[in-house]
Amino acid sequence: MHLPHFKYYAPRSINTLNTLIENINGQAIILAGGTELLPRMKMRLIQPEHLISILKIKQLENIKIKNDKKIEIGATVRIDNLANFFKANKPFNAIFQAANMVGSQQIRNMATIGGNILQNTRCKYYNRTLQWQKIMPPCHKRGGNICYAVKNSKRCFAVYQGDIAAPFIVLQGKAEFLFNKNFIQKPVEDIFTGNGAVPFNIGKSILIKFILPASEDGIISTYKKYRIRDGMDFPIAGVAVAIKIENKKIDDIKICLTGVSSAPVVIKNIKDFISEKKLTDKLIHEISEIAYNQAHPVENIDGDANNRRYMIKQMTFEAIKELIGSYEK
Amino acid sequence: MKNKGVKKRLITLNINNRDYHVVIEDRDTLLYILRDKLMLTGTKDACGVGECGACTVLVDGKAVLSCLMLAIDGQGKKITTIEGLATDGKLTYLQKAFIEYGAIQCGYCTSGMLMAATGLFNRNPNPTRDEIKKSIEGNICRCTGYNKIIHAIEAVRDKRVKDKK
């Protein structure tokens, strides 16, 4: 399969990247690992005039621990390097698990963290061949006004199936963008719109790096992924959980779901469950029930929607149980 | 963009320790250049979207998918294809093991499997069975059922491959 024609650029510094973007006319797209963008281009779902590879910008490919113990992860750090960095790191275990389960070894060697977080939403009625696109009238995501997944829907339900965004959100990661020579920081959860057709509200800004807070004592995290095959596949449901333990009590809990909506779903209203109480199985069940109630998958990717929703409940329970078990040891 | 006036470039790719000068278009993937320009057809073209692993090559010792890598991004890197594994007609231990353990049937996935396994040994000379499975999770084989492939890789790990011709 050939790619459509485009002009290729490979700036070597952030400054040249900035100048390039200011002077470019027409649609330009940033290329990093290419494992998600190039298949979409091959299927002619997207045909940019310009492709700007940022792999040659050395500043973007490192993980640094700053003086204040914050961790800075450059946008083009490969998923495999990210997984190795967080291996056997208890507070950031969720990131290791999620990164280690992305695609295949070849994909992890190529794909970057920036590309993984900013991957496009997917739908079995959108990620289709050119022949299919010629026959079927366009859906919301292809610029039309039909939804094949949910009849008569006025919006797009394409699913965000990134693995690593959910752990970044529960661990309170931030993303730093470059826009008009200014650097802007945003919490990772704020970069999503929730609209499947246009999943990110980052405009023309360019992702530079991610910043994770210093790992405090007592934070532990985990990630659970549900997929058809135990390798290769995107999550058809995923749960990231982080808990903070202070004075042998659970002080805070954060849960984020992926693969069930057009953006990662941050579970709300769970703080009440943990105040002043020990987390019994019954309480964990109640928390899982809340996660279940806030997940609304529809039939537009692999797997049955009801089953995916049920798995959210099951995985949330298992994740919290596993975390509590690991700190009580 | 129309096909007319597409800019071509002359680049140098280091493949199997040899420099190749090739004229490419920006859009050409490494796989296309390997197979259709340099006639290194050992690397296979199957799904084209990174799901099957048949096009796996090593770039700086790491297994990557040549169907999802632009040829232009391969400049200045050390690329190894299946043709570069055997030296002077002498097969590597992995190649011998694949023959000895019958890890080949139709052979279409084999070059990808061998490159993925070579990448694994570059990274980890003593992998567990789970690590072996994980390293070839992106390579699809419809004949062998994977067991013989895993046995062959384990045989290399355990140095059980005979050094005959």
Side-chain angles (χ1 to χ4, degrees):
Chain A
M1 249 186 290
H2 275 298
L3 286 161
H5 286 283
F6 54 82
K7 278 186 186 155
Y8 172 93
Y9 309 84
R12 283 172 188 274
S13 73
I14 291 179
N15 282 340
T16 37
L17 172 68
N18 224 341
T19 335
L20 183 66
I21 287 166
E22 278 173 9
N23 298 322
I24 231 163
N25 290 319
Q27 193 193 13
I29 294 227
I30 301 283
L31 167 74
T35 52
E36 193 260 348
L37 178 64
L38 298 189
R40 269 193 298 138
M41 285 174 66
K42 284 187 173 182
M43 290 181 178
R44 304 299 189 268
L45 289 166
I46 176 172
Q47 301 191 47
E49 283 174 62
H50 309 277
L51 216 53
I52 305 172
S53 167
I54 52 169
L55 288 178
K56 291 210 165 65
I57 306 178
K58 295 273 178 237
Q59 278 165 278
L60 303 184
E61 59 181 36
N62 294 320
I63 306 182
K64 286 180 216 153
I65 301 175
K66 305 300 272 185
N67 291 340
D68 53 2
K69 299 272 169 70
K70 282 183 182 167
I71 304 172
E72 284 191 1
I73 303 163
T76 63
V77 169
R78 310 283 175 159
I79 304 290
D80 195 51
N81 296 346
L82 183 82
N84 287 338
F85 183 84
F86 287 109
K87 205 172 186 174
N89 183 330
K90 229 178 171 187
F92 298 113
N93 192 28
I95 298 178
F96 163 71
Q97 286 172 316
N100 203 28
M101 286 193 276
V102 171
S104 61
Q105 184 61 47
Q106 288 93 320
I107 303 246
R108 289 191 291 276
N109 285 342
M110 301 172 84
T112 62
I113 174 64
N116 186 282
I117 302 273
L118 295 183
Q119 65 178 271
N120 212 295
T121 49
R122 303 172 61 83
C123 172
K124 65 182 172 191
Y125 301 100
Y126 170 73
N127 296 84
R128 288 286 188 137
T129 55
L130 190 60
Q131 286 83 349
W132 197 85
Q133 292 168 44
K134 280 181 183 161
I135 300 164
M136 305 299 277
C139 64
H140 290 298
K141 198 161 168 64
R142 274 167 49 214
N145 52 11
I146 317 167
C147 180
Y148 294 110
V150 179
K151 291 264 147 56
N152 302 326
S153 164
K154 292 205 162 41
R155 76 173 181 93
C156 173
F157 281 85
V159 185
Y160 180 77
Q161 289 184 281
D163 279 300
I164 307 177
F168 269 31
I169 290 170
V170 294
L171 293 163
Q172 291 170 307
K174 284 182 179 162
E176 188 173 296
F177 291 89
L178 174 71
F179 183 63
N180 279 346
K181 291 182 184 168
N182 295 319
F183 291 95
I184 313 157
Q185 283 191 7
K186 279 183 191 178
V188 173
E189 63 228 65
D190 290 356
I191 64 181
F192 298 93
T193 57
N195 174 2
V198 192
F200 303 102
N201 63 357
I202 57 171
K204 285 195 168 177
S205 50
I206 289 165
L207 179 65
I208 300 292
K209 64 185 169 200
F210 294 97
I211 300 146
L212 291 173
S215 68
E216 292 170 52
D217 285 344
I219 290 185
I220 37 180
S221 65
T222 190
Y223 175 73
K224 299 269 173 212
K225 175 171 179 172
Y226 175 48
R227 49 184 169 177
I228 306 284
R229 300 174 289 177
D230 195 18
M232 230 9 238
D233 285 347
F234 283 97
I236 52 176
V239 181
V241 182
I243 58 178
K244 190 181 173 193
I245 294 150
E246 236 173 53
N247 301 328
K248 296 196 171 175
K249 261 187 186 165
I250 292 171
D251 189 52
D252 199 1
I253 180 161
K254 286 198 167 60
I255 302 174
C256 183
L257 314 180
T258 188
V260 289
S261 169
S262 298
V265 182
V266 184
I267 301 299
K268 298 182 192 93
N269 311 329
I270 41 175
K271 204 126 195 236
D272 303 343
F273 282 89
I274 51 162
S275 50
E276 302 294 319
K277 288 180 208 160
K278 193 177 180 326
L279 270 188
T280 55
D281 276 9
K282 192 169 164 271
L283 274 176
I284 301 174
H285 266 299
E286 282 175 38
I287 296 175
S288 315
E289 200 69 39
I290 291 176
Y292 174 84
N293 289 334
Q294 291 179 26
H296 301 288
V298 297
E299 297 279 354
N300 58 352
I301 50 173
D302 289 345
D304 173 64
N306 288 331
N307 194 21
R308 283 160 57 207
R309 198 174 178 205
Y310 170 77
M311 283 304 286
I312 288 289
K313 180 158 73 175
Q314 195 63 24
M315 288 190 298
T316 311
F317 181 82
E318 279 172 22
I320 301 175
K321 196 86 179 132
E322 178 190 310
L323 287 179
I324 290 173
S326 79
Y327 106 87
E328 278 171 351
K329 257 180 206 167
Chain B
M1 210 161 59
K2 292 270 160 56
N3 208 344
K4 282 176 195 167
V6 173
K7 204 174 131 193
K8 301 208 170 184
R9 314 176 187 238
L10 176 68
I11 63 163
T12 307
L13 294 174
N14 183 296
I15 301 163
N16 303 332
N17 290 325
R18 192 185 140 183
D19 280 345
Y20 290 86
H21 306 289
V22 261
V23 176
I24 62 151
E25 287 175 12
D26 286 355
R27 67 166 180 165
D28 289 341
T29 59
L30 180 60
L31 177 66
Y32 172 73
I33 297 297
L34 287 174
R35 286 182 58 84
D36 291 47
K37 291 278 175 80
L38 304 176
M39 299 299 153
L40 294 169
T41 51
T43 307
K44 298 299 177 214
D45 184 358
C47 73
V49 290
E51 285 177 9
C52 73
C55 66
T56 305
V57 297
L58 300 184
V59 172
D60 291 338
K62 287 186 174 179
V64 304
L65 301 163
S66 61
C67 72
L68 295 184
M69 180 174 169
L70 296 179
I72 194 167
D73 280 334
Q75 287 181 101
K77 302 219 161 76
K78 208 170 160 321
I79 299 161
T80 314
T81 67
I82 185 76
E83 288 89 350
L85 286 188
T87 40
D88 303 328
K90 197 169 180 289
L91 299 181
T92 63
Y93 284 112
L94 265 170
Q95 287 173 310
K96 283 179 196 165
F98 267 57
I99 298 169
E100 198 175 310
Y101 285 78
I104 307 169
Q105 284 183 29
C106 85
Y108 207 84
C109 74
T110 307
S111 54
M113 285 285 181
L114 280 167
M115 298 321 280
T118 311
L120 168 70
F121 283 116
N122 286 346
R123 208 172 61 243
N124 177 1
N126 203 8
T128 61
R129 192 182 173 90
D130 280 348
E131 285 166 338
I132 292 171
K133 278 186 179 174
K134 199 160 172 58
S135 76
I136 57 166
E137 71 186 348
N139 293 73
I140 290 175
C141 171
R142 58 167 290 178
C143 311
T144 64
Y146 303 98
N147 258 333
K148 291 179 172 181
I149 295 170
I150 296 166
H151 289 161
I153 300 173
E154 280 182 325
V156 176
R157 176 198 64 192
D158 301 339
K159 303 194 169 55
R160 278 190 273 118
V161 185
K162 290 168 205 139
D163 208 354
K164 62 182 180 193
K165 271 181 195 170

